[in-house]
Amino acid sequence: MSLQSSVVLRQYDKQTLKHVDIISGISPNAMRRVFGGWILFVAIVAVIVSVAPDLSVQFIGLTLFVLVAFTLLMFGQSRISEGWPAIICDDNTVGVVRDPVKREYICVDKSLVTVANPTLIKPNKKAIEIVLDASRLTESDVAVLNQAVWPRSDRLLGLSHFKRREDACDSVMWCVKHLRKRPVEHVSTQTA
């Protein structure tokens, strides 16, 4: 048994999260396209409302205010540069998102991963099941696994966004087999 836990709750900052390999999730490019589409929608609605006959000034002002407020909120999320990663590969770990707003992931040592399978989370969410070697998990590891969005005592479940589940499973297993080392600077790790 090692002194360091093989399953940890890890919180990333914006800069560090930009340097991990995203296996599944909404990429920054997709976020930019969505935001660009939103800006185009806002511009079209603003023009239509502004030139429409017989609309009160209050209605036009309220509509424009709501559109601008929503745009600022979307931009304020600052996810355009980092996206919403669901499953990541970082150094010697594979992580599944626990709290996307806090950038919090349950990370497992790659040596614990036995297989990645396509699965469904009821009722119809496409996901990846990362099966772990249960014989090597400690009680504290299981306690951290039980803090996941979809808790299991011997596996992690992560959503498969905009990528075939089979391809995401292949990416997880490729990540497990290939070691990538880089210095970790702005990551906080917690154990249960």
Side-chain angles (χ1 to χ4, degrees):
M1 186 188 312
S2 65
L3 295 174
Q4 188 175 9
S5 181
S6 299
V7 180
V8 294
L9 193 56
R10 187 175 284 173
Q11 190 169 4
Y12 290 85
D13 66 10
K14 290 181 190 180
Q15 289 302 98
T16 307
L17 198 56
K18 288 179 184 178
H19 299 290
V20 301
D21 295 324
I22 298 173
I23 294 172
S24 176
I26 302 172
S27 73
N29 290 335
M31 290 298 291
R32 287 185 196 100
R33 285 192 293 266
V34 167
F35 192 71
W38 172 258
I39 295 294
L40 182 64
F41 171 78
V42 166
I44 290 170
V45 170
V47 167
I48 290 171
V49 168
S50 297
V51 298
D54 301 327
L55 292 179
S56 69
V57 174
Q58 291 84 7
F59 178 78
I60 294 171
L62 182 62
T63 303
L64 295 177
F65 172 77
V66 168
L67 290 173
V68 169
F70 252 64
T71 303
L72 292 176
L73 282 173
M74 282 180 68
F75 192 74
Q77 286 281 333
S78 71
R79 292 297 181 156
I80 294 171
S81 64
E82 60 189 282
W84 291 91
I87 302 173
I88 61 171
C89 179
D90 180 29
D91 293 329
N92 202 29
T93 62
V94 174
V96 174
V97 71
R98 179 176 177 264
D99 187 337
V101 175
K102 292 181 181 176
R103 298 174 191 87
E104 196 171 68
Y105 291 79
I106 293 180
C107 295
V108 299
D109 191 279
K110 289 180 184 180
S111 66
L112 289 176
V113 177
T114 58
V115 69
N117 299 316
T119 190
L120 284 175
I121 300 171
K122 296 192 179 189
N124 61 357
K125 294 182 183 203
K126 293 181 179 182
I128 289 96
E129 173 184 62
I130 301 171
V131 181
L132 308 175
D133 183 354
S135 66
R136 294 182 47 208
L137 295 173
T138 65
E139 286 182 26
S140 64
D141 293 339
V142 173
V144 175
L145 288 171
N146 284 327
Q147 294 179 37
V149 176
W150 297 282
R152 304 289 190 276
S153 61
D154 65 343
R155 62 198 67 212
L156 280 170
L157 298 175
L159 295 179
S160 177
H161 296 291
F162 304 109
K163 189 173 190 179
R164 286 185 55 234
R165 290 178 294 169
E166 294 77 10
D167 293 343
C169 291
D170 290 344
S171 295
V172 168
M173 295 314 295
W174 184 91
C175 173
V176 166
K177 292 176 181 148
H178 294 85
L179 184 62
R180 188 182 86 127
K181 283 289 185 188
R182 67 169 181 77
V184 178
E185 296 170 5
H186 301 94
V187 177
S188 69
T189 303
Q190 308 163 2
T191 56

